[in-house]
Amino acid sequence: AIEVDGPSHYFRDPSSGERLVNGSTKFKVRLLRAYGWNVANVPFFEWDPKTESERRQLLREKLASIGVREPELKETASQREECVYR
């Protein structure tokens, strides 16, 4: 599972100013993991400043961190056309 965490998933530590994950988000992730899900978190502050290609790379890295590998796609042009029209 990919958890996309917007600003409401965080609070600032008053002493350090560091962004910390809030309790309800931590609880949700614990529940997902208890049900056997691998969870990758994508914080808004990592996502927002990136270009489209950097975002794709970020998702690859997040998915790799939970053991998801990119599939090897070896398709022909006709297979791509089939996918588009289905």
Side-chain angles (χ1 to χ4, degrees), residues 1-2 6 14 22 30 35-36 45 48 54 60 71 81-82 85:
I2 297 176
N22 67 28
R30 275 198 310 268
Y35 282 103
F45 50 86
D48 286 351
E54 291 171 330
R60 284 186 198 100
E81 287 174 15
E82 280 181 30
Y85 293 112

Side-chain angles (χ1 to χ4, degrees), residues 66-81:
I66 60 170
V68 177
R69 293 181 298 145
E70 279 190 73
E72 290 183 27
L73 297 177
K74 296 179 182 178
E75 58 186 7
T76 65
S78 62
Q79 287 172 323
R80 281 192 299 274
E81 287 174 15

Side-chain angles (χ1 to χ4, degrees), residues 38-78:
N38 293 322
V39 182
N41 293 83
V42 181
F44 75 96
F45 50 86
E46 288 182 16
W47 181 264
D48 286 351
K50 298 201 179 312
T51 65
E52 187 174 333
S53 63
E54 291 171 330
R55 287 175 175 179
R56 280 193 218 109
Q57 182 59 34
L58 177 63
L59 288 177
R60 284 186 198 100
E61 291 167 5
K62 296 289 185 175
L63 290 170
S65 75
I66 60 170
V68 177
R69 293 181 298 145
E70 279 190 73
E72 290 183 27
L73 297 177
K74 296 179 182 178
E75 58 186 7
T76 65
S78 62

Side-chain angles (χ1 to χ4, degrees), residues 1-3 25-39:
I2 297 176
E3 169 81 24
T25 299
K26 286 182 179 180
F27 181 65
K28 181 173 27 175
V29 171
R30 275 198 310 268
L31 284 175
L32 287 169
R33 289 185 175 146
Y35 282 103
W37 288 81
N38 293 322
V39 182

